[in-house]
Amino acid sequence: MPLQIGIVGLPNVGKSTLFSAITKSAVDCANFPFCTIDPNVGVVEVPDERLSQLADISKSQKVIPTTVEFVDIAGLVKGAAEGQGLGNKFLANIRECDAIAQVLRAFEDPDVTHVEGALNPERDAEIIGMELALADADVVTHRTESLSRQLKAGKSRELEILSGALDKLRPHLAEGKPARDLDWTEEERKELKPLSLLTMKPMVYVLNVSETQLQDESWKEAVPHLVASGITLVPVCVKMEAELAVMDDADRKEYLESVGQEESGLDRLIKAGYEVLGLITFLTSGEKETRAWTVVKGSAAPVAAGRIHTDFEKGFIRAEICRWEDFVALGGDAKCRDAGKLRIEGKDYIVQDGDVCHFRVST
């Protein structure tokens, strides 16, 4: 399964336009609230310049990047938990996502209406935060009711841990605070995981800015408290991303350079998603294919091998590892071995981002 990121925000902040641009697919985008009703789902390749360089060395037949799946849902409004707008039932469409990207509008445009009447991205963030918390509070209420019946039938350590966690969570959510801000034990996290709480997921704030705001970084003036808080903020000019989406690689690079940007908003968003989720990419390369694989940072070599095939984790014997830079500079794993740059690692080795791996397994 690819990394999944759910996109949320108020109506008319640029969610669906962003989705359309980064997935290069046509979805309904219009200047009125609730244009998006059914969820839009799109899978995009994660840009990784290392792959083409490795493939050239290995003369690979195929290059397979890792992917990210974006899920765009209808805009939330203040009071959605009480049924305002389209309500919040469609939030179920992103409960299985790994992270949430909340789109905030920071650009001025009198021709684009704002559902709250005036531009204030920090207020918008509070509204969305409250609605997500209230949606989680509803889930917690229903689970508390069913848990009460289970405890009457017979207590267990797991049920008592869950009961305590729910008791701690209820007043926190009622204040509009996210579940991720509380301190949880590993046992509590395990028992809460089946609830798929939205506010437990990592959050990336995507600030939809003008081209000028992006270039001079004046977007920071629109969200001073969010900047000071140290949360993950990704400024994106959605209008520019829409233009980049229809360009070839050469034109895209030239355009980004002309506006003083080293990478697209999509690249920054994906990197932020990997960062908040603690993910890294390791690589495999050979004549058949060069491929990128995603694992949680801190994963041991057998776990990484299991990403290629589940049987590989159980049958892991050893890993042959070299850095991608050495693989390219020296001309492949055989030459890395000759130069002493290819290492033999065992079950305790922690895979690093950019490792080129070859796993030896028993079958």
Side-chain angles (χ1 to χ4, degrees), residues 71-90:
V71 182
D72 175 40
I73 61 172
L76 286 169
V77 296
K78 188 175 183 179
E82 285 78 43
Q84 293 296 316
L86 295 176
N88 66 6
K89 300 302 181 185
F90 49 83

Side-chain angles (χ1 to χ4, degrees), residues 258-277:
S258 71
V259 294
Q261 301 297 307
E262 296 182 357
E263 56 189 354
S264 70
L266 171 60
D267 292 353
R268 290 194 298 273
L269 176 54
I270 290 174
K271 285 181 179 179
Y274 269 62
E275 185 176 332
V276 299
L277 288 165

Side-chain angles (χ1 to χ4, degrees), residues 132-151:
L132 295 179
L134 292 177
D136 278 351
D138 189 51
V139 171
V140 168
T141 296
H142 284 87
R143 185 64 185 99
T144 300
E145 293 171 356
S146 63
L147 179 62
S148 177
R149 294 189 292 270
Q150 286 180 284
L151 288 171

Side-chain angles (χ1 to χ4, degrees), residues 46 154 164 208 310 363:
V46 176
N208 187 4
T310 52
T363 57

